[in-house]
Amino acid sequence: MTASDQLDTAWLSSLGDLSLVAKSVVEGFMSGLHRSPFLGYSTEFASYRQYIQGDNLKHVDWKVWGRTDELYVKQFEDDTNLRGHIFLDASGSMNFGEPNKFAYARLLAAALACLMSRQHDAPGLTTFGGERVETLPPRSHRNQIDDLLILLANSKADGETIARPELLQVVETMTRRGIAVVISDLFGTGDDLLEVLRKLRLQRQEVLLFHIVSPEEMDFDLGGEFLMEDSESGEVIPVHAASFRQEYLKRIEQFCGATATTCDKLEIDYRRLRTDQPLEDALTFYFEERMAM
Amino acid sequence: MSNLLFNNWLLLGGLLAVAIPVIIHLLLKRRPQRLRFSTLRFFKDQDESAKKRRRLRNLLLLSLRMLLVALLVLAFARPYLMGSANASGKAPRRYVVGVVDRSASMRAADHWQRTIDFLREQLKDLTENDRVALVACGDTTDVLSEWVPPGKIKPVLDELKPGLGGAQLAAGLTEAAGLVASREGSEPATVLLVSDLQSHSCGGLKNVVFSPETELRIEAISERELDNVSITELKPSGPGTFAVGFQNWSGKSSRTIRFDLVADGGKPVNSIVLLPAGVKTNVVLSPGNLAPGWHQLEIHAQSNDALDLDDDRYLAVNVPQPLVVWCVEAGHPAKEFEQETFFLRSALSPTDDQTPYYLAETVSTSEVFGRLQKESPALILLSGLHVVPPELPAALQRFTEQGGGLILFVGESVRADRYNIDWHGLLPANLGRVAGDLEVPEEFWHLSPDQTDDRLFTVFRGSENGDIAQPFFKRRFELIPGEGANVLAIFGDGKPFVIAKERGRGRVVLVNTSADTGWNDWPKRRTFVPWVHSLAGFATGQTPWLDGGAGRAREWGTPLVFEAGNSLAGQTVTVRDPAGEISKVTVDNTGGAKVSPTRLGVYSLLDESGKVREQIAMNLPVAESALDFLSPAEIQSSIKRVQMAGQAGAIAALMNVGQKELWRIILGTGLVLLLAESLLANRTWA
């Protein structure tokens, strides 16, 4: 299955399709199960460590205590110990481009959720845009992925990109260490989204930022004079596209560069994704980051 | 200097097509398309200067496209430059014909100096490669120089002087057109007319034909109307008197002119005349008694105006020997004034100090026959005779047949039946009964003011010269004109007053009234003297004050020919000019000695002994005093522009010389502009 096949908007328009495609993407991507990098109290032994007060006595290896007279606790590989929270930008600016940025982002979110679920991580989802903030907290429940896909399927991209209090509240509830995947074009007013990213970092979340851009935005291959209408605010500006193209490309590169620099400072993994780019690139990126955790 | 001309003027109407790019621009102008975009954050704070540059570019594009259309139209109109560089890059030869007005009026003010200065300036603009010709318009039109380099014209200009006659600019321009046609090259020629454009010099311009390619430049030397007073006339006005005509040509200012009349260089007769603006008048003067023979009269006015030449005028007058007149009386009254012919005799010699054109004497009827055998008077006046000597009619008949003049008066003493018998064959009319009663004061006749034959009344033309209807006549005969007789004057009721008949070489005139005041009161009227002179002139066939005494004068430009006589044909005669210079002139076959005048004044033909045989005065043409002028535009519009036969080849040659270059250049420029337009239109500016 090619990227273009995956990104067919008509194909993605139904819930079943989204689920199927997301799972297919993940199946195609994964060649096998990976092990959780986080050690927990699972069934497969990993190593020992010295007992510290508070450890469950159930995990003390008494045989070792008998031989060495020291208390050691058994450590096991834990494959379900990560909360993966996906933040999907559903603002009006995402509903743009060919392929559509929101469709692309939604599929990416679905694929990531499937990937998380398959890895026994607890996927969660928050969509935000305009006045709406809809969230599905991360859970390991077996129906979680279905609920998440339903939420995704019902989401629409409109309204302004605003860090509403509800969104910040979701972030503030993320007390357990986990991974936060933010999917957005970052075209909001002011630094609202940056503030969200900063708070996520403060909440000890490993943050992956997928910066979704469309070919039209990056190439700006237009000619003639246009009345450009802002997809979020409805503001109109006359633009002579051909004559402004160089300046535009310069400005958007500056914007992307500045965003990447900011992310670097906040130790956020930044990835810019063009919607004409295969989703595997994004999944690979996620997987690499996930393995590094 | 070059002028932009077009072969196809009408195509210039296509310049309206420059509106096409504007119309297309307006028709195709679209509203910007509305496009929804993810964010406008990158479009804010656009560079305003870019917008200005874009607008400037659009304006440039529009201008370029309009210019392209205009150039295309201009190229089709086939423009060419008169006098432009030709294809070889060498300056084309210029042909200039100078037509110089050297009429006498060019002497007014500083006209001539300005003319010469202007021509010299024009020569400075020419190169030795150019060719110049020079035509002078005076009383004759002369080609002073055909096509020569400008340097060779300068000496000709140095020698050129204004003339004393008029000019016909049409003749000069026609000569110039001929020179243009005869030039070697095919380059356009310029005719340069330098003149004061005096109105009377501009006659016949409609007959001048120029080719359309020939440029006519007119340098008007007189740019304003100048004050000028001139003496327009000097002529005898009567016995011993001369009329001097003055005219103030200015339409604005009045002038008081002092002038002198000089006869034979003697003591001048001074006078003053007031001349309101635009007025023409005559002043009658007498220079004193002039003896029979040739005299030269000069008038000199002190006008201090624009033209000095017309302040002098000359006249040569030949005062003839007086004509002998016999006034025949029936008797010899003791007192002269009691004679019937007293008034007639007095009228023929009015004053003692004036030139006597007639020498009248009283002769009795008994003396006439005897004296006629030995003498031959010019005129015999017969008062009303009661008794006619029997031998007298035959003697008078012979006298008239030999050329003598006879005037018969009637009167109370005349008996019609005797007269008709005694003068049979001599009288031009038969006498009928006498009409009128001396005792009835209310019954009288006047002469008709509308005389059908004015041979006797020429001097009364004009209202100021006397009214012949004023005298009254109380008695008259009823006359029946004879065969071959002419009624010369009539009464107010149409009855004959004067009847004349040719007899041999002479004339017999019958006057139907008395010679004295018996039947009329005419001798008391001021018209009597001129009337008697007219009557005597008609009867004798000689009018000394109009013929020999009329003087001889010519205006410059008319032939000056002395009547030397056929006997001198082929021989040389001596002529003295006004400055006293003597020259020899050969008499032609007709007996005329033609002189080429060099100055104004009186020319004299001398006999072998150096005595004056004949004189003729040469004057400035009166028309030269009129300094009114036409405008150059009027001259230009009068000239016809016709394509000359054989000039088509010349025009084609012109096309090859330089005219094509212009449209090629224009098309080349258009192509360059088209390239620039393409580059500009396809360039995207930030």
Side-chain angles (χ1 to χ4, degrees):
Chain A
M1 184 176 289
T2 64
S4 60
D5 292 335
Q6 297 165 15
L7 299 176
D8 187 287
T9 51
W11 190 37
L12 295 173
S13 60
S14 64
L15 167 64
D17 288 343
L18 181 61
S19 170
L20 180 62
V21 172
K23 286 173 182 173
S24 298
V25 168
V26 173
E27 288 296 333
F29 172 69
M30 297 293 289
S31 57
L33 286 175
H34 67 283
R35 292 189 302 176
S36 170
F38 293 92
L39 297 177
Y41 302 97
S42 185
T43 54
E44 194 171 349
F45 174 76
S47 65
Y48 290 101
R49 69 169 170 81
Q50 281 199 325
Y51 173 80
I52 56 174
Q53 194 173 356
D55 284 340
N56 194 340
L57 290 176
K58 182 172 76 174
H59 295 127
V60 175
D61 192 339
W62 295 109
K63 289 181 183 177
V64 175
W65 175 72
R67 284 198 296 271
T68 62
D69 203 18
E70 288 185 358
L71 291 172
Y72 284 90
V73 177
K74 287 182 183 175
Q75 286 188 308
F76 300 90
E77 285 188 349
D78 185 359
D79 55 357
T80 60
N81 65 342
L82 187 69
R83 285 167 176 263
H85 202 126
I86 300 169
F87 290 87
L88 176 61
D89 182 357
S91 65
S93 63
M94 287 294 283
N95 188 16
F96 177 75
E98 190 63 35
N100 188 276
K101 285 197 295 181
F102 185 66
Y104 186 91
R106 193 166 58 173
L107 182 57
L108 175 58
L112 288 172
C114 290
L115 190 58
M116 288 174 186
S117 179
R118 185 157 183 171
Q119 285 185 281
H120 306 290
D121 291 339
L125 176 67
T126 297
T127 62
F128 58 95
E131 303 292 320
R132 294 168 291 102
V133 176
E134 292 177 279
T135 187
L136 183 66
R139 288 188 302 172
S140 298
H141 193 273
R142 59 180 180 179
N143 292 331
Q144 177 71 359
I145 189 63
D146 293 334
D147 295 341
L148 190 147
L149 289 175
I150 288 170
L151 177 60
L152 271 180
N154 291 333
S155 61
K156 290 179 182 173
D158 58 9
E160 293 187 55
T161 306
I162 302 173
R164 296 190 60 78
E166 294 87 340
L167 178 60
L168 296 175
Q169 201 174 357
V170 169
V171 173
E172 285 167 3
T173 58
M174 296 170 66
T175 52
R176 274 190 69 179
R177 188 176 175 226
I179 187 165
V181 180
V182 178
I183 304 171
S184 170
D185 59 4
L186 303 175
F187 293 156
T189 53
D191 295 331
D192 282 7
L193 215 51
L194 204 59
E195 187 59 28
V196 172
L197 292 173
R198 191 174 289 113
K199 281 189 180 296
L200 282 171
R201 285 299 294 154
L202 289 174
Q203 293 299 104
R204 296 185 305 147
Q205 301 295 312
E206 288 298 323
V207 180
L208 269 70
L209 171 60
F210 285 107
H211 185 190
I212 308 298
V213 292
S214 69
E216 291 90 338
E217 290 168 340
M218 294 310 292
D219 299 338
F220 199 62
D221 197 11
L222 296 173
E225 193 154 12
F226 294 94
L227 288 174
M228 294 293 192
E229 179 185 354
D230 193 292
S231 57
E232 292 186 2
S233 64
E235 181 186 2
V236 173
I237 292 179
V239 175
H240 193 273
S243 62
F244 190 62
R245 181 167 184 269
Q246 294 300 324
E247 177 65 20
Y248 173 86
L249 294 176
K250 186 177 153 191
R251 289 185 183 187
I252 198 164
E253 276 305 325
Q254 280 177 351
F255 171 74
C256 293
T259 304
T261 303
T262 305
C263 290
D264 193 43
K265 285 180 185 172
L266 294 174
E267 295 181 344
I268 293 171
D269 295 312
Y270 171 82
R271 187 73 172 191
R272 187 167 71 194
L273 283 177
R274 286 171 62 115
T275 54
D276 57 355
Q277 211 172 337
L279 272 179
E280 281 86 347
D281 293 351
L283 297 180
T284 301
F285 177 67
Y286 170 76
F287 195 72
E288 287 169 358
E289 294 299 320
R290 176 68 181 83
M291 291 297 288
M293 291 180 72
Chain B
M1 183 177 172
S2 58
N3 289 330
L4 183 64
L5 299 174
F6 295 89
N7 282 327
N8 304 316
W9 281 97
L10 292 179
L11 286 184
L12 289 180
L15 283 175
L16 293 174
V18 296
I20 290 176
V22 180
I23 293 170
I24 291 176
H25 168 75
L26 294 175
L27 289 178
L28 298 185
K29 190 176 182 182
R30 291 181 301 181
R31 290 188 62 80
Q33 185 185 349
R34 198 179 183 99
L35 181 68
R36 189 171 172 273
F37 204 75
S38 56
T39 183
L40 297 186
R41 63 187 302 162
F42 305 116
F43 298 118
K44 296 188 176 169
D45 303 324
Q46 290 183 58
D47 188 1
E48 286 301 318
S49 63
K51 285 185 183 176
K52 288 178 183 172
R53 282 200 300 273
R54 200 163 56 246
R55 191 169 292 124
L56 178 65
R57 189 196 73 154
N58 289 339
L59 280 175
L60 268 175
L61 271 176
L62 187 62
S63 304
L64 272 176
R65 287 163 185 165
M66 292 170 72
L67 189 58
L68 267 173
V69 175
L71 287 177
L72 195 63
V73 172
L74 285 177
F76 273 105
R78 303 290 292 271
Y80 62 94
L81 282 175
M82 293 285 285
S84 63
N86 61 15
S88 64
K90 185 182 175 184
R93 172 168 286 174
R94 289 174 288 181
Y95 288 88
V96 180
V97 191
V99 179
V100 186
D101 177 357
R102 61 168 176 179
S103 64
S105 63
M106 293 292 282
R107 295 174 181 262
D110 59 347
H111 289 180
W112 186 251
Q113 190 57 47
R114 285 171 56 199
T115 299
I116 296 300
D117 291 346
F118 174 79
L119 288 170
R120 284 179 178 145
E121 281 299 313
Q122 296 302 306
L123 289 177
K124 285 180 186 174
D125 292 339
L126 300 173
T127 66
E128 284 304 298
N129 181 46
D130 299 325
R131 291 294 177 266
V132 183
L134 193 60
V135 177
C137 293
D139 45 283
T140 59
T141 301
D142 306 310
V143 177
L144 299 181
S145 171
E146 295 195 350
W147 298 112
V148 293
K152 292 190 176 178
I153 287 290
K154 289 172 184 170
V156 181
L157 277 183
D158 293 340
E159 295 296 321
L160 192 58
K161 297 283 183 260
L164 293 168
Q168 287 303 316
L169 297 183
L173 290 173
T174 302
E175 285 286 357
L179 284 166
V180 168
S182 71
R183 71 193 188 282
E184 291 177 352
S186 55
E187 293 85 349
T190 300
V191 174
L192 181 58
L193 172 62
V194 190
S195 168
D196 57 5
L197 305 181
Q198 227 183 345
S199 302
H200 80 93
S201 302
C202 298
L205 284 177
K206 292 189 185 301
N207 300 323
V208 179
V209 179
F210 274 21
S211 69
E213 295 76 26
T214 303
E215 181 194 19
L216 173 60
R217 286 178 54 203
I218 299 173
E219 179 67 14
I221 293 298
S222 181
E223 69 285 351
R224 61 189 172 85
E225 189 180 330
L226 298 170
D227 284 344
N228 191 37
V229 170
S230 69
I231 301 172
T232 58
E233 197 173 44
L234 174 58
K235 66 175 185 179
S237 62
T241 60
F242 296 87
V244 185
F246 292 90
Q247 183 157 1
N248 184 354
W249 298 94
S250 168
K252 297 174 183 174
S253 53
S254 298
R255 301 292 304 275
T256 300
I257 304 297
R258 289 180 175 277
F259 63 96
D260 302 327
L261 173 62
V262 179
D264 301 321
K267 185 180 178 185
V269 177
N270 305 314
S271 189
I272 293 176
V273 63
L274 173 64
L275 287 169
V279 161
K280 180 180 181 181
T281 190
N282 285 328
V283 175
V284 175
L285 288 176
S286 172
N289 196 5
L290 296 177
W294 284 98
H295 301 273
Q296 64 180 58
L297 298 177
E298 303 170 18
I299 281 283
H300 304 293
Q302 299 163 23
S303 65
N304 193 26
D305 55 11
L307 186 61
D308 294 334
L309 274 180
D310 59 3
D311 295 340
D312 302 324
R313 203 156 186 91
Y314 306 92
L315 180 70
V317 183
N318 182 20
V319 177
Q321 292 294 331
L323 298 177
V324 176
V325 180
W326 288 355
C327 300
V328 180
E329 291 273 347
H332 279 286
K335 296 179 180 175
E336 190 178 10
F337 60 84
E338 291 178 347
Q339 296 174 358
E340 278 192 65
T341 58
F342 169 75
F343 293 109
L344 295 172
R345 199 172 61 250
S346 300
L348 289 172
S349 301
T351 57
D352 292 337
D353 60 346
Q354 288 184 346
T355 305
Y357 291 120
Y358 297 98
L359 197 60
E361 63 176 307
T362 303
V363 180
S364 68
T365 52
S366 57
E367 293 175 325
V368 173
F369 179 77
R371 290 186 63 177
L372 273 178
Q373 307 305 312
K374 299 175 284 185
E375 300 173 46
S376 179
L379 176 66
I380 296 176
L381 300 176
L382 275 179
S383 60
L385 300 180
H386 178 64
V387 178
V388 178
E391 72 282 4
L392 190 55
L396 290 179
Q397 194 160 339
R398 286 194 298 275
F399 166 72
T400 55
E401 286 173 351
Q402 290 169 4
L406 175 64
I407 302 175
L408 295 100
F409 289 84
V410 293
E412 207 59 47
S413 55
V414 172
R415 290 174 58 184
D417 51 350
R418 286 292 302 272
Y419 245 60
N420 290 334
I421 294 170
D422 292 344
W423 297 108
H424 178 70
L426 194 60
L427 277 180
N430 279 330
L431 303 184
R433 67 179 185 86
V434 176
D437 190 342
L438 294 173
E439 302 305 319
V440 182
E442 293 82 12
E443 188 177 318
F444 53 84
W445 302 275
H446 290 292
L447 291 184
S448 169
D450 302 315
Q451 299 290 338
T452 53
D453 190 330
D454 67 349
R455 279 180 282 183
L456 297 179
F457 302 99
T458 305
V459 294
F460 300 109
R461 285 177 191 160
S463 59
E464 72 278 12
N465 291 336
D467 183 5
I468 58 170
Q470 287 293 322
F472 61 83
F473 300 84
K474 294 189 69 66
R475 281 173 72 80
R476 67 184 184 188
F477 278 97
E478 290 186 351
L479 298 181
I480 303 164
E483 189 179 350
N486 295 312
V487 177
L488 296 182
I490 55 176
F491 290 101
D493 59 359
K495 300 290 185 185
F497 173 58
V498 177
I499 297 178
K501 185 177 179 180
E502 305 283 339
R503 284 202 60 84
R505 291 187 288 143
R507 288 171 176 167
V508 180
V509 180
L510 174 64
V511 182
N512 193 5
T513 192
S514 63
D516 58 7
T517 55
W519 283 12
N520 64 76
D521 73 338
W522 203 346
K524 301 175 183 173
R525 309 283 179 174
R526 71 183 182 96
T527 53
F528 184 70
V529 171
W531 148 251
V532 172
H533 277 256
S534 293
L535 191 63
F538 176 80
T540 58
Q542 299 178 58
T543 48
W545 65 95
L546 293 176
D547 300 334
R552 302 179 71 184
R554 306 280 186 270
E555 288 194 339
W556 197 276
T558 54
L560 176 56
V561 182
F562 286 108
E563 297 170 359
N566 288 328
S567 59
L568 295 175
Q571 299 181 33
T572 58
V573 291
T574 305
V575 173
R576 186 176 66 203
D577 77 357
E581 292 180 7
I582 302 295
S583 60
K584 296 290 185 182
V585 177
T586 302
V587 179
D588 62 21
N589 292 334
T590 63
K594 187 172 183 180
V595 178
S596 298
T598 54
R599 51 179 60 89
L600 302 178
V602 176
Y603 289 78
S604 307
L605 175 67
L606 307 179
D607 62 13
E608 293 170 351
S609 64
K611 287 185 179 177
V612 174
R613 286 183 53 190
E614 187 180 356
Q615 286 186 319
I616 300 176
M618 186 56 76
N619 288 311
L620 188 76
V622 173
E624 286 304 297
S625 301
L627 300 181
D628 57 317
F629 54 90
L630 298 183
S631 69
E634 289 173 293
I635 306 286
Q636 291 276 15
S637 63
S638 300
I639 306 291
K640 276 186 196 165
R641 294 284 183 171
V642 175
Q643 191 67 56
M644 306 291 187
Q647 282 193 330
I651 292 169
L654 282 174
M655 303 287 284
N656 292 330
V657 170
Q659 295 168 9
K660 278 187 181 174
E661 289 304 310
L662 272 190
W663 66 259
R664 283 177 182 150
I665 290 169
I666 289 174
L667 278 189
T669 308
L671 285 176
V672 171
L673 289 179
L674 189 62
L675 186 63
E677 192 269 350
S678 302
L679 290 174
L680 194 59
N682 292 315
R683 176 171 177 186
T684 55
W685 284 0

